[in-house]
Amino acid sequence: MMNLQQTPPLPQRSISATPPHPDEPLNRDDPFRIADRMHHATIASATLGISPISLFQAWQDWALHLAASPGKQHQILNKLLSKQVRLTRFVSDCALEGEKAEPCIEPLPQDHRFSDPGWSKIPFSLMAQSFLLTQQWWHNATTGVAGVSTHHERLAAFYARQFLDMLSPSNFAFGNPEVIAATMREGGANLMRGLAYFLEDATHVTPHEKCNFQPGRDVATTSGEVVFRNDLVELIQYAPTTGAVMTEPLLVVPAWIMKYYILDLSPQNSLIRYLVDAGFTVFAISWVNPDGRHRDVSFDDYIRRGVMAALDAVEAITGVRHIHAAGYCLGGTLLAAAAAAMARDKDDRLKTLTMLAAQVDFDEPGELGLFIDESQLAFLEDVMWQQGYLDQKQMAGAFQMLRSQDLVWSRMVREYLIGERPQMNDLMAWNADATRMPYRMHTQYLRRFYLNNDLAQGRFEVNGHNVQLEDIRLPVFAVGTVTDHVAPWRSVFKLIHLFDADVDFVLTSGGHNAGIVSEPGHPHRSYRSLQYRHGEPHPEAEKWMHETEAEPGSWWPEWANWLKQRSTGPSAARAPGNEETGYPPLDPAPGSYVLMK
């Protein structure tokens, strides 16, 4: 049985700052509302949790405004004729010059579907060029229609792209020269392997169940102890590897929608191990994987029983009042709200604040914002209501749609038609080890942050009182990643304008996860850095990026040096836990919560 330390039972009703609709514990006595919820949840099982009403509203907005815009109609008709002329000219050039004919359109830099040399040969080149022109035309047709709301325009363009991605000639065995070449070379063995992979996946075995990466054995192996546990978090303190450590400890707050060990993967790419070896006393929160019992847990609970409980434990264990804190992804958003509340309440325990790919302004949240409107949220709330949480499979479906070219169609072609399945690595294993989100907390988060942007607008409440990001006056280190589609770096950059603080901002190569897991020695890594001092004119994101040279290498040493410069010097190394203050070691790292399925 698990040891719960300083832990009351799961709350039935928590302090909350949001309106009664999403936040109050459910009224299960209203049969009419229950009927609606159950109907919506049934529909969602066939739509990956996506509201068909939201989609219909977007297409209706676009179609009606296009029907009332004869000028736009003539424009896209002219573009259609122009593209037909370009394609006809390309066909003529191919007849005369063969493979040397110049293509009439190039794919976007991130589109690798037609990179195989076989696509330069007839008839495959004709299919690829026709598809790319069609894709470009649909983008022209779904954008720039006067009167269409920005959100509906983006939705219409997004779903048009999704439909076309499904019909790409690269997805079909006899339309893809790479598949044909592999089939002829192997005598069809590739198709047999692909069929075996398909049948294996169709048995509903999750990728994580098939992989050989296990937390505590292959990943999350940095030595440490669970030193505090309640029903939301386990707090891990890592064993020192140096004789002396920086006086101030470091608390790491990961996102609750992921397992914490993204920051402690294999020994060679573990950020936590790197910080321990650099001479820091590191603590990390490991969130519980919630189930139906957690349906009424609120955002305030995650602050109070997560971040604040961890800070209390760190202070009691180390005897040091001032603590460095770092938040990754949504954990950074949670930490920023907690830091603003601490500043409001004159709690000065935070020494510095680090934000790793974490947003506080959600006005431009990237493509994830496509799935956030009133219709979609009402639909999603009813899905979560039925089971008390959002299942990881439903969350994964939305993320895969954002990059369907790479995560859906190209993967299916590679595995099921070419018969090549990539070997599981630590990052892929972590990505497959998904978590759930509790109903009440996730509803609050989506409404108050993504839909209403309350934190940036000064309307967000913690423990019943407003918090202001301007009250954060700590030294801040922030990291954005160039190709991040979860927390776009330009959105992360906005914290410079919202905190009344000195901010050292780093923009690193890579995406939301790979850009953070960017250990020294990793090939092809680079970063740009900015030192902004409060009171100076605020920089423009685009202008700064284009005027700043990228430095080769990892940003990890830059952050470690920044933390050391803001620490008060070395102290004797600390063993995990402190029995005298009531925090004895409970279990070896990585603990039990990270193993919950």
Side-chain angles (χ1 to χ4, degrees), residues 219-257:
V219 291
T221 60
T222 303
S223 178
E225 297 282 344
V226 175
V227 293
F228 170 76
R229 179 187 291 121
N230 63 25
D231 41 29
L232 284 184
V233 301
E234 286 183 330
L235 181 66
I236 301 169
Q237 181 182 357
Y238 292 93
T241 59
T242 56
V245 295
M246 294 295 105
T247 297
E248 288 82 5
L250 170 66
L251 172 64
V252 177
V253 182
W256 62 89
I257 68 168

Side-chain angles (χ1 to χ4, degrees), residues 489 493 496 505-508 527-531 539-549:
W489 77 265
F493 191 87
I496 293 176
F505 185 84
V506 165
L507 177 62
T508 180
Y527 67 94
R528 294 173 170 84
S529 58
L530 165 71
Q531 288 77 42
E540 297 179 20
E542 293 292 339
K543 185 172 183 289
W544 164 75
M545 184 187 70
H546 292 300
E547 292 179 353
T548 305
E549 291 291 329

Side-chain angles (χ1 to χ4, degrees), residues 178-350:
E178 193 174 3
V179 175
I180 294 174
T183 303
M184 296 182 66
R185 183 173 60 250
E186 299 188 42
N190 58 305
L191 298 177
M192 296 302 296
R193 287 196 309 273
L195 177 61
Y197 293 148
F198 173 79
L199 294 175
E200 182 181 7
D201 293 341
T203 61
H204 305 291
V205 177
T206 66
H208 185 69
E209 290 171 335
K210 294 182 292 183
C211 81
N212 294 319
F213 289 86
Q214 298 299 324
R217 187 191 69 189
D218 310 289
V219 291
T221 60
T222 303
S223 178
E225 297 282 344
V226 175
V227 293
F228 170 76
R229 179 187 291 121
N230 63 25
D231 41 29
L232 284 184
V233 301
E234 286 183 330
L235 181 66
I236 301 169
Q237 181 182 357
Y238 292 93
T241 59
T242 56
V245 295
M246 294 295 105
T247 297
E248 288 82 5
L250 170 66
L251 172 64
V252 177
V253 182
W256 62 89
I257 68 168
M258 59 177 67
K259 298 289 181 71
Y260 85 92
Y261 67 88
I262 178 64
L263 302 175
D264 185 26
L265 288 173
S266 302
Q268 71 273 10
N269 61 0
S270 166
L271 177 55
I272 287 175
R273 184 182 292 259
Y274 176 83
L275 292 166
V276 171
D277 290 343
F280 292 95
T281 301
V282 180
F283 293 79
I285 288 176
S286 176
W287 298 103
V288 73
N289 195 0
D291 54 31
R293 298 171 302 161
H294 299 84
R295 67 182 309 140
D296 290 333
V297 173
S298 70
F299 197 91
D300 268 359
D301 290 318
Y302 271 70
I303 290 180
R304 183 174 59 250
R305 300 178 50 68
V307 176
M308 302 309 296
L311 284 173
D312 292 342
V314 172
E315 181 183 6
I317 291 169
T318 63
V320 177
R321 178 166 178 77
H322 295 111
I323 301 164
H324 299 295
Y328 176 38
C329 185
L330 303 185
T333 308
L334 181 74
L335 181 60
M342 293 173 70
R344 177 199 65 196
D345 299 336
K346 301 191 183 328
D347 183 344
D348 64 351
R349 284 181 292 171
L350 292 184

